[in-house]
């Protein structure tokens, strides 16, 4: 009986441990979902109260519902969509990506600063 209890305890603790991802993994998975134009998967990495800013602190979007509306339209207009990370800096729960974006016939670059808390992206600041 003691062995079964220990085995169950081990299984429960390993299952909960495997669900925790690093901030870098969370950001990379949302980049991958972005490249697949999978809106719901992309949004699953964001907190319900996510805040989106243009540098230095201009709030452009507040909350996942508004973010969903913005990106549904954006993904809908994209025949070609791909983000390549050219540089990444990881500092605890902050990820800074230099990104190269291809959107249809346009190519542009920018910087995204992601803040992660409780395994979700809670804010992003974009620098053009």
């Amino acid at each position: 009986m003691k062995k079964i209890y220990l085995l169950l305890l081990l299984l429960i603790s390993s299952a909960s441990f495997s669900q925790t991802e690093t901030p870098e993994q969370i950001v990379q998975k949302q980049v991958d979902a972005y490249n697949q134009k999978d809106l719901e998967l992309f949004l699953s990495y964001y907190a319900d109260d996510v805040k989106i800013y243009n540098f230095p602190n201009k709030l452009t979007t507040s909350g996942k519902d508004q973010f969903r509306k913005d990106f549904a339209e954006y993904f809908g207009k994209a025949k070609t969509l791909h983000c390549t990370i050219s540089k990444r800096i990881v500092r605890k729960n902050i990820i800074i990506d230099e990104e190269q974006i291809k959107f249809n016939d346009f190519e542009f670059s920018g910087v995204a600063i992601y803040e992660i808390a409780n395994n979700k992206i809670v804010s992003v600041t974009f620098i053009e």
Side-chain angles (χ1 to χ4, degrees):
M1 186 70 161
K2 194 174 186 180
K3 286 183 182 179
I4 293 173
Y5 176 74
L6 290 173
L7 181 59
L8 284 173
L9 198 60
L10 179 63
L11 287 172
I12 291 168
S13 64
S14 67
S16 62
F17 178 74
S18 65
Q19 292 175 352
T20 302
E21 297 173 322
T22 67
E24 183 175 13
Q25 289 170 322
I26 291 165
V27 169
Q28 185 57 51
K29 286 183 176 187
Q30 69 86 41
V31 169
D32 295 341
Y34 174 95
N35 286 340
Q36 296 167 24
K37 294 193 326 182
D38 186 331
L39 181 62
E40 292 308 314
L41 182 59
F42 174 74
L43 291 169
S44 73
Y45 297 102
Y46 289 84
D48 289 340
D49 59 349
V50 64
K51 304 275 192 259
I52 308 298
Y53 299 92
N54 282 338
F55 184 82
N57 59 1
K58 180 182 179 199
L59 182 65
T60 60
T61 303
S62 183
K64 193 186 279 190
D65 290 338
Q66 183 59 51
F67 200 45
R68 175 179 278 106
K69 289 177 189 172
D70 295 346
F71 269 85
E73 183 178 340
Y74 180 72
F75 282 2
K77 291 179 180 178
K79 294 176 186 149
T80 303
L81 183 65
H82 190 79
C83 174
T84 302
I85 306 304
S86 54
K87 292 182 186 175
R88 175 170 281 165
I89 298 170
V90 178
R91 181 75 174 140
K92 297 181 184 179
N93 68 322
I94 304 295
I95 309 297
I96 304 170
D97 281 349
E98 182 176 11
E99 302 174 341
Q100 308 303 316
I101 307 290
K102 182 164 177 69
F103 179 84
N104 297 332
D105 294 331
F106 302 101
E107 291 188 34
F108 56 96
S109 64
V111 173
I113 303 169
Y114 299 93
E115 180 182 1
I116 290 69
N118 300 318
N119 290 318
K120 296 288 184 179
I121 300 168
V122 295
S123 72
V124 184
T125 300
F126 290 107
I127 304 171
E128 293 182 32

